[in-house]
């Protein structure tokens, strides 16, 4: 190792004592934190920063932000909030435009039947699913950073919204409603769904203002996949009454899935043969087409639009056979042309729907951010998680003014967009054109569409979510903890409800993280022969140990949850427990000489942060080591941890010369100290 100015020589073997130094005879002068600041940093400035009051730092930060409010700063902010200003000037029109147009039209064709189908999940008339397939897509095209993301109606959110709508605006017990009463009930339900979209959008904008895009990391991949897979089962069961032609009320709350199954089995003899036949034929067409699109995605220029073909065939069949009048088959009816008048959702409903809007906002952001990240990594570009919060927040907030229900990115249409050759957000504009043509001109063609066909579209669109369970064997081999998180979340979603299952999954996932920090092992280190590297003693017997020197690595944050284990581990290694100064067990070779510890080096490189309780524990450890005659050295503390320890009074127990920049420096100093004592 190259020496620094003033490098000194540590005593070698046989010098001053018979203690053998594994570092050899020569070593540069060990670097303490204070010495390092003198040589390579500005110690006075560092001290001023540590002593600077909090309000002064905030004022300095505010001045820096104020200086950024210049012309170039405003332009940077505008480009950050309107991503088309960044990617549109570099758009490659010749190679990309055709792919975006084909992908956008393909996704738009799928949006039409799926939007109407997911509106039934939301307990609102089908036309509002078309509104939700238009306004959010248009807004995300202008504000989103995910080039391959397709937004609109999403089955999981529609199911969550529908459960909340049925609870807030329940169906009357008598069931037989006149036309006017049905319109009034639908208007109340549309208002409740729009209020939930407004609430979830406002929550996401609040999260954006607080720069909480990092919260997406707390919704781990097992939680999101188990949530969507469990919700798919809810969607399947909730559509059984529509498939069988049974006018059953939707079950809400915990165990709703089992209540629905029990109600369906009880009412099964009253099912409609006509609607059952329509459902069977629809599934017989949709499922094979979905499978063909998946298996031959590389050979097909565009996926086969099975949904729109099924919609057209079923509408023609119902019209020519008069299924609605002869066999009482439920049909979509008249789709109002144009757009609804902008209307602010009732703010009086917000306190009631806030508890439902929060999990919807989290699911929206989690699914959208996860999908955007997957395709951003695949196609080598970056997304801004906070901008995604802003885009989806504005999308839900503004679309709620046009009676839309909560929306997000969707798994099926995003995959379809990529397979069809989409390249940028411009594909969303072509998708909006298709939905717009239906809203303005083509709506009457869907008058005779059976609602059972929409239920079949709901079920067939869940295919990808159901197949996520095939990843469980691989997840078991990779991580048993992640497997447990997946299973706990899935069981909670299926047995309780989607929102409660999400809460259980997130809490359980966080508990596994806490438990893993509790179970971490404090490792005793030894010097690898012929190197200056310190490795855990249990890894190899070719590691050198020095009697009286203990080098410990504690690779976990030091906070109130780990302080007790930290204390017990250090007592065990240093002999500071009830047994007094008896020598602890070691991780070293069996023939290692047991000798009381005289110098201990604590490697803090794995301590990413420390709270007040953890810092006080280190201060108490320093006091106990000093009373027991053990010289404590701290190595490789990061600036945050060192600042916390200093504020807790560590420098009242140790001197600055006991703080080192690396384990090697601390070990060299410890060896020199042991040699001098002998």
């Amino acid at each position: 190792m190259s020496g620094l100015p003033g490098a000194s020589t540590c005593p070698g073997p046989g010098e001053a004592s018979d203690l053998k130094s594994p570092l050899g005879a020569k070593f540069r002068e060990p670097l303490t934190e204070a010495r390092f600041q003198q040589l390579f940093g500005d110690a006075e400035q560092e001290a001023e920063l540590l002593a600077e009051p909090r309000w002064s730092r905030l004022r300095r930060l505010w001045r820096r932000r104020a200086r950024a409010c210049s012309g170039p700063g405003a332009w940077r902010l505008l480009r950050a909030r309107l991503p088309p200003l960044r990617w549109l000037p570099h758009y490659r029109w010749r190679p990309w435009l055709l792919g975006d147009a084909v992908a956008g039209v393909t996704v738009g064709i799928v949006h039409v039947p799926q939007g109407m189908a997911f509106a039934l999940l939301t307990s609102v008339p089908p036309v509002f699913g078309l509104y939700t397939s238009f306004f959010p897509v248009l807004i995300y095209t202008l504000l989103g950073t995910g080039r391959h993301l397709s937004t609109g109606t999403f089955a999981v959110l529609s199911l969550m919204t529908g459960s909340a709508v049925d609870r807030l605006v329940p169906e009357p017990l008598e069931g037989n409603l006149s036309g006017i009463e049905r319109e009034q009930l639908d208007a109340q339900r549309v208002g409740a769904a729009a209020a939930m979209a407004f609430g979830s959008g406002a929550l996401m904008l609040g999260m954006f203002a607080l720069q909480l895009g990092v919260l997406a990391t707390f919704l781990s991949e097992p939680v999101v996949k188990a949530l969507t897979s469990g919700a798919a089962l809810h969607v399947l069961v909730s559509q059984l009454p529509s498939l069988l032609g049974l006018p059953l009320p939707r079950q809400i709350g915990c165990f709703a899935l089992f209540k629905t199954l029990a109600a369906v089995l009880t009412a099964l003899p009253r099912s409609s043969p006509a609607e059952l036949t329509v459902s069977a034929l629809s599934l017989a067409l949709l499922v094979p087409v979905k499978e063909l699109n998946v298996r031959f995605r590389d050979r097909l220029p565009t996926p086969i639009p099975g949904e729109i073909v099924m919609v057209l065939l079923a509408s023609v069949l119902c019209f020519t056979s008069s299924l609605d009048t002869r066999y009482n088959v439920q049909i979509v009816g008249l789709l109002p042309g144009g757009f609804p008048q902008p209307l602010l959702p009732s703010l009086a409903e917000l306190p009631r729907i806030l508890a439902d809007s929060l999990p919807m906002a989290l699911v929206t952001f989690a699914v959208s951010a996860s999908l955007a990240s997957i395709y951003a990594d695949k196609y080598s570009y970056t997304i801004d998680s906070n901008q995604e919060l802003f885009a989806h927040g504005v999308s839900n907030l503004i679309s709620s003014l046009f009676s839309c229900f909560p929306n997000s990115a969707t798994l099926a249409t995003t995959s379809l967009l990529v397979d069809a050759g989409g390249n940028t957000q411009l594909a969303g504009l072509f998708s909006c054109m298709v939905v717009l043509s239906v809203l303005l001109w083509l709506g009457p063609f869907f008058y005779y569409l059976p609602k059972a066909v929409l239920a079949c579209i709901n079920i067939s669109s869940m295919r990808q979510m159901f197949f996520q369970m095939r990843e469980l064997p691989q997840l078991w081999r990779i991580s048993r903890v992640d497997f447990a998180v997946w299973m706990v979340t899935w069981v909670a979603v299926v047995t309780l409800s989607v929102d409660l299952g999400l809460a259980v999954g997130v809490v359980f996932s966080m508990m596994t993280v806490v438990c893993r920090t509790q179970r971490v092992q404090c490792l005793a280190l030894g010097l690898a022969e012929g190197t200056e590297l310190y490795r855990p003693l249990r890894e190899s017997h070719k590691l050198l140990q020095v009697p009286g020197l203990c080098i410990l690595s504690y690779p976990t944050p030091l906070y109130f949850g780990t302080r007790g284990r930290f204390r017990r581990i250090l007592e065990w290694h240093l002999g500071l427990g009830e047994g007094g100064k008896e020598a602890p067990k070691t991780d070293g070779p069996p023939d290692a000489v047991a000798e009381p510890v005289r110098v201990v080096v604590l490697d803090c490189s794995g301590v990413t942060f420390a709270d007040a309780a953890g810092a006080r524990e280190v201060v108490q450890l320093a006091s106990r080591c000093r009373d027991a005659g053990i010289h404590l050295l701290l190595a490789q503390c990061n600036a945050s941890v060192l600042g916390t320890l200093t504020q807790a009074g560590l420098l009242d127990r140790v001197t600055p010369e006991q703080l080192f920049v690396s384990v090697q420096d601390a070990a060299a100093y410890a060896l020199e100290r042991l040699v001098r004592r002998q």
Side-chain angles (χ1 to χ4, degrees), residues 96 99-104 147-148 379 416-424 427:
W96 285 355
D100 282 340
V102 172
R147 298 181 186 174
H148 299 84
Y379 292 98
L416 182 62
L417 179 74
V418 175
D419 293 340
N423 298 291
T424 65

Side-chain angles (χ1 to χ4, degrees), residues 309-322:
V309 171
M310 188 67 250
V311 165
L312 295 176
L313 290 178
S315 299
V316 171
L317 177 63
C318 184
F319 173 72
T320 56
S321 305
S322 301

Side-chain angles (χ1 to χ4, degrees), residues 39-282:
L39 293 175
F40 305 109
D42 192 342
E44 295 181 0
Q45 182 181 1
E46 187 73 18
E48 289 178 1
L49 288 177
L50 290 175
E52 185 180 11
R54 184 182 298 270
W55 65 269
S56 179
R57 291 199 297 270
L58 293 176
R59 184 176 61 183
R60 181 163 46 83
L61 180 62
W62 175 258
R63 288 177 178 174
R64 186 186 308 166
R65 291 288 180 90
R67 287 195 298 269
C69 294
S70 58
W75 174 245
R76 285 195 300 270
L77 179 63
L78 186 63
R79 293 180 74 236
R81 297 296 164 255
L82 288 175
L85 296 177
R86 298 199 305 267
W87 59 262
L88 198 56
H90 306 286
Y91 188 83
R92 299 164 60 186
W93 295 95
R94 191 178 295 272
W96 285 355
L97 184 60
L98 180 60
D100 282 340
V102 172
V105 171
T106 304
V107 170
I109 291 173
V110 174
H111 268 315
V112 173
Q114 277 196 358
M116 293 189 291
F118 292 161
L120 297 183
L121 282 178
T122 316
S123 299
V124 297
V127 69
F128 294 95
L130 296 180
Y131 300 152
T132 311
S133 300
F134 177 78
F135 291 103
V137 177
L138 182 61
I139 296 171
Y140 185 83
T141 300
L142 300 176
L143 300 178
T145 60
R147 298 181 186 174
H148 299 84
L149 211 62
S150 174
T151 59
T153 56
F154 183 38
V156 176
L157 279 179
S158 298
L159 182 68
M160 296 171 68
T161 307
S163 299
V165 167
D166 285 336
R167 189 184 70 251
L168 296 172
V169 189
E171 185 90 15
L173 295 178
E174 57 271 15
N176 295 323
L177 300 177
S178 64
I180 297 178
E181 290 174 337
R182 172 59 63 181
E183 289 181 2
Q184 292 176 348
L185 179 67
D186 287 341
Q188 292 177 4
R189 290 188 164 186
V190 168
M196 276 181 276
F198 186 92
S200 61
L203 286 172
M204 281 188 280
L205 286 180
M207 294 165 63
F208 163 74
L210 298 174
Q211 299 290 288
L212 296 181
V214 70
L215 286 179
T217 58
F218 292 100
L219 292 169
S220 62
E221 183 178 346
V223 171
V224 174
K225 289 189 174 182
L227 172 72
T228 53
S229 182
L233 190 58
H234 276 278
V235 172
L236 171 62
V237 174
S238 68
Q239 296 303 289
L240 289 179
S242 298
L243 262 64
L244 302 174
L246 297 173
L248 299 176
R250 174 179 290 187
Q251 302 291 335
I252 58 176
C254 296
F255 310 106
L257 185 144
F258 305 102
K259 295 177 184 177
T260 304
L261 280 177
V264 168
L265 292 176
T266 303
L268 195 58
R270 304 197 308 268
S271 59
S272 169
E275 297 211 31
L276 183 58
T277 303
V278 171
S279 302
L281 292 176
S282 300

Side-chain angles (χ1 to χ4, degrees), residues 45 91 138 143 173 339 347 355 372 375 473 498 517 542 548 565 584 629:
Q45 182 181 1
Y91 188 83
L138 182 61
L143 300 178
L173 295 178
F339 297 103
L347 298 182
Y375 287 102
V498 176
T517 62
K542 296 182 178 180
R565 182 169 178 81

Side-chain angles (χ1 to χ4, degrees), residues 389-406:
L389 268 177
F390 179 73
H392 289 288
V394 172
S395 174
N396 278 273
L397 196 67
I398 293 181
S399 62
S400 69
L401 305 180
F402 295 92
S403 302
C404 297
F405 48 85

Side-chain angles (χ1 to χ4, degrees), residues 595-623:
E595 183 176 321
V597 176
R598 289 179 285 173
V599 181
V600 57
V601 176
L602 185 59
D603 178 14
C604 301
S605 59
V607 182
T608 54
F609 70 90
D611 67 356
R616 284 195 293 268
E617 196 64 47
V618 176
V619 173
Q620 293 175 9
L621 172 68
S623 298

